[in-house]
Amino acid sequence: VAEAEDMLLSMVDNYESSAARSMDGIEDDQLPVRPDSFSFNTVIQQWARARTPEGGRRAERILDRMLEFHHNGNADVRPDERSFAYIIYHFTKGAGRMAPDAPDRALKLLRRMIRMFRQGYKELLPAYDNRTNPIFAFTSVIDAHSVLRRPDAGMVGDELLDAMTKLGDSVDALKPNTYACLSVLYGWSSCGSVDAGERATELLRKMEEDMADVAARTWNCEEEEEEISRMRTTQRCYILAQTAWARSPSERKAEGALEVLEMMEVNYAIGNVDAKPTVQAYSMVLNACAFADMVQDEKGMLVKATPENQRRAFDVAQHTLDRVRGEPYPGVRPNPVIYGTFIKCCGRLNLPDDIAIKAAARAFEDCCRRGLVSDFVLTQIRYALPPETFLKALVKNGYRDLDKNGKTLSRDGKRIRHILLRELPKAWTKNVESRF
């Protein structure tokens, strides 16, 4: 690649020096070869695909040289969508993605690309069908921020979604669709900001509104071909929004995750089969409840949530467990993650002992009866109950080997020997799948 770069830059220098001599009235015996856009893009592509972190920066220098050559009187040598897309790919999915500043460099390039498009370089985002879909440049930049869980991932996604919406008026391929919205939701789910849940839910509502508008137009349209919303919500859209709530230090994280579940249920009820609620959607509500013990205060510091707030989170968890126990949809029934996460709520949240212990014991009893006790469930019930109460719960549900390896409970009553899953009655674990 370095040889190709040297050859290209030599061509550029020779042509520019020849042009300068011509302006001075000096004629060259032979006109040097003039590099074109294809020449620059070829070298940019080779550096961007090189398996070295340095390739992206070298490709950027070629792009800068191309623009310099363009502004020096070579108006037809212009960058196109590939000139930027190759380098963006290097920093987001290629060899340069591991560099600490890779997401920033990719975002800077994309912003530059958008700015130049608005200045008249329409070939950067072609309105016609092309093998390079410009939407991938936008989503890859968002994903590069999200995969590193950067605190600005949600804001970057929101910024680029707004840019796609505005550019979509002239570039049809950039009109936001489900794929683009998923990238933005992924950004909000990974950033951990206090408003992440609110912003993700707001985007979900926009998607649902677009679906409703398209459905209304189709209903009133006499044409046989049915129009389909580009922003159709899917199961993953709702799960990502719930994840945004769960990772957010918001006081409303439990209620927010439940609100998203209810949106999912309503959307499925009105005919969106892609939004059918899953067991994971219910477990995500429980997960948000389990971590509702910490919130962000006015100074941006993490502090303990008030007892009232934690009690509301527990009520949401109990409501969610009761609903999934009733199998609200075919195949949507409790699994070890459901029981383990609910029991985690009982152990983490600041609740009166009688409420926490009774709720955890009831859930464990139901879990044993259904044969769904996994390592995760056993670990959570051990954490949620005092040692003596934990042993009593085991005995109550049929465990008979407390003392087979010696004394089970320490003299101070605070420690117990480690009880392995394989020691438990087979009936407790008979319905646990290997993945749990």
Side-chain angles (χ1 to χ4, degrees), residues 11-25:
M11 290 169 57
V12 173
D13 292 340
N14 288 339
Y15 185 85
E16 288 185 332
S17 61
S18 174
R21 286 195 297 272
S22 296
M23 293 180 64
D24 293 336

Side-chain angles (χ1 to χ4, degrees), residues 1 4-5 8-9 36-50 54-67 77-91 109 112:
V1 183
E5 178 183 353
L8 173 66
L9 296 181
D36 57 10
S37 299
F38 180 80
S39 305
F40 284 96
N41 280 340
T42 299
V43 178
I44 289 173
Q45 180 187 33
Q46 292 305 310
W47 272 125
R49 290 184 175 180
E54 182 188 3
R57 296 177 184 274
R58 299 287 289 267
E60 279 190 272
R61 285 200 287 269
I62 299 299
L63 175 61
D64 291 338
R65 190 68 180 91
M66 179 186 192
L67 290 171
V77 181
R78 299 160 64 92
D80 58 24
E81 81 280 6
R82 291 167 296 184
S83 310
F84 285 87
Y86 290 146
I87 312 176
I88 290 172
Y89 176 87
H90 173 86
F91 286 122
L109 278 164
R112 185 180 184 185

Side-chain angles (χ1 to χ4, degrees), residues 215-325:
R217 289 198 301 270
T218 302
W219 180 264
N220 297 323
C221 183
E222 297 181 357
E223 297 181 8
E224 295 184 1
E225 186 175 352
E226 182 180 358
E227 183 181 0
I228 299 176
S229 171
R230 296 189 183 204
M231 299 172 68
R232 191 176 184 85
T233 57
T234 64
Q235 292 172 340
R236 182 161 172 75
C237 294
Y238 294 98
I239 296 297
L240 286 173
Q242 288 180 310
T243 306
W245 278 111
R247 291 177 176 166
S248 165
S250 168
E251 293 182 353
R252 291 193 62 251
K253 66 191 309 177
E255 294 90 339
L258 177 61
E259 179 185 347
V260 173
L261 172 62
E262 292 171 345
M263 291 171 63
M264 189 179 192
E265 292 175 329
V266 170
N267 205 252
Y268 176 68
I270 61 176
N272 182 8
V273 295
D274 295 328
K276 180 182 178 181
T278 62
V279 176
Q280 185 184 8
Y282 290 87
S283 68
M284 286 303 302
V285 178
L286 295 173
N287 188 59
C289 296
F291 292 94
D293 58 327
M294 300 296 292
V295 297
Q296 183 173 300
D297 65 9
E298 296 176 353
K299 298 180 181 179
M301 303 294 292
L302 284 179
V303 297
K304 275 288 184 181
T306 63
E308 294 78 11
N309 191 72
Q310 296 188 57
R311 179 56 191 269
R312 288 199 305 273
F314 173 76
D315 291 340
V316 170
Q318 185 67 67
H319 169 72
T320 304
L321 178 64
D322 291 342
R323 288 180 64 182
V324 76
R325 275 173 173 165

